Amino acid sequence: MDKARAALAKNHTQDAQKAIDAALKVTPDYADALTLRAVLEVNAQQQQAALDDLVHAVKADPSFGPAYLVLGALFNQMGRFDEALRSLDRESIYNPNSWQCAYEMSRSWLGKREYERALLQANRAQSLSGKLHPGPIHLIRGYALMGTKRLELASAEFEAYLDAEPNGQLAGSVRVALAKIKTAMAQRPDSVPLPAMSGLFASAK
C-alpha cells in the first residue's frame, strides 16, 4: 500500500485507486486496502460504499485500528455520533496516542452537544499533535467553547484558526461565527446559535 499512499499524498487519486484495486484483486480481504479505498470513497461523497468497505475491513481484521478511525470519521459526517464514539473507542485501544482519534471524538461529543467532553478531547488532540495541525484543533475548540458560553475564549480560538488558515475552506463561516460572538458579547451570551455538527469539519483533517 506504499504506492497508494504516495499517490494519495500527491493527490493523484487515479493512481491510488489503481494500486488499491490491484491489491484487492489479489487479496479481497486486505483491511489496509479496503480502508484506503474507503478514504477515496468518502472524499468522493460515496458514503455507503465507504461504509461497506470499512465494515468489510474490520470484519477481515478486527485489530486494524485505522479502519476504526476512518469509520468513526464517517459516522461523524453522517451524524451517527454514538456509533462514531464506539468505533473511535476501538481505535484508541490500538492507537492510544492518535491525535486524529481524539479530534474525531471531540467532533462526536460536539454533535451530541456534550461540550465539556468535546473540549476535553480537543485539548487532548492539541496535546498529542503538538503544533502540527493547529487550524482544525483551534476550530473545534472554538465551537466547544461556544457551547459552554465561554465566548471570549471561543473568540480567541477562532482568531487563532484564521491566523493558521486565513484562506481555508471554512474561513468564511468562521468569520461569520466570530462576528456573531462579538455581537453576542455586547448583548447576551445565549444569543449565539450553535452550528449543526454533522459534516461541519469534514474538510478539516
Side-chain angles (χ1 to χ4, degrees), residues 146 151 154-155 158 176-186 192:
M146 275 182 67
L151 300 187
S155 178
F158 287 141
V176 171
L178 191 56
K180 289 179 179 178
I181 286 177
K182 290 180 177 179
T183 298
M185 287 170 64
V192 181

Side-chain angles (χ1 to χ4, degrees), residues 4-5 18 32 34 36 40 51 59 62 71 100 103 105 111 114 120-121 151 154 158 161 164 171 180 190 197 199:
R5 286 192 177 85
K18 289 178 182 178
D32 195 0
L34 289 164
L36 285 177
L40 293 178
L51 183 58
K59 286 182 178 179
L71 187 57
Q100 295 98 325
Y103 172 83
M105 282 185 169
E114 296 276 354
L120 181 65
Q121 289 298 329
L151 300 187
F158 287 141
Y161 168 79
K180 289 179 179 178
D190 60 356
M197 289 300 156

